[in-house]
Amino acid sequence: RTEVWKRITSVIRDYNALRAEYKDFIKDTASDTETHLKELERKISAVDKALNSFDSEVKELVRQRYWKGKTYRDILVPMSESTMKRYVRKFVVEVGRNLGEIK
């Protein structure tokens, strides 16, 4: 379970880099990159789909937590720290389901 959690959160943390890499790969038409391109699409869409299933406050929480590297105490959203943690867990689980890592 810990290993699965680490794989999922690494995809979330790498989301912006994955999107940039995806844009670069779209320009490249070599056939050996197609498998890599599909994997990038799979990961990006898993995070996008999970993000779109939450409201704007949770989206902001995820952005600050994973892509700005803030701690829960430094995140300014109108909810308690325990609620933030609960929403982040729900988000990570949703990404895991979208990736097929969690059933």
Side-chain angles (χ1 to χ4, degrees), residues 5-61:
W5 191 267
K6 287 179 182 179
R7 283 196 306 265
I8 296 167
T9 56
S10 78
V11 169
I12 296 167
R13 283 191 174 94
D14 296 342
Y15 173 74
N16 290 326
L18 292 169
R19 289 183 61 155
E21 188 177 348
Y22 179 76
K23 288 178 184 177
D24 290 342
F25 269 100
I26 287 183
K27 295 174 189 173
D28 186 7
T29 59
S31 62
D32 62 327
T33 62
E34 187 150 340
T35 303
H36 186 68
L37 183 64
K38 288 184 184 205
E39 183 63 14
L40 289 172
E41 286 174 343
R42 184 180 79 86
K43 290 176 180 178
I44 291 168
S45 67
V47 175
D48 283 340
K49 187 175 176 183
L51 268 178
N52 291 331
S53 69
F54 290 95
D55 65 16
S56 60
E57 289 176 349
V58 177
K59 289 178 185 178
E60 186 57 31
L61 168 64

Side-chain angles (χ1 to χ4, degrees), residues 54-95:
F54 290 95
D55 65 16
S56 60
E57 289 176 349
V58 177
K59 289 178 185 178
E60 186 57 31
L61 168 64
V62 169
R63 284 186 189 102
Q64 289 188 37
R65 178 75 178 127
Y66 284 104
W67 303 317
K68 293 183 180 179
K70 292 187 175 184
T71 62
Y72 289 108
R73 291 181 184 198
D74 296 333
I75 297 173
L76 299 175
V77 291
M79 59 183 81
S80 69
E81 190 172 325
S82 61
T83 301
M84 284 189 244
K85 289 178 181 179
R86 190 172 62 247
Y87 275 118
V88 166
R89 269 193 303 275
K90 286 181 179 182
F91 174 74
V92 172
V93 167
E94 187 65 28
V95 172

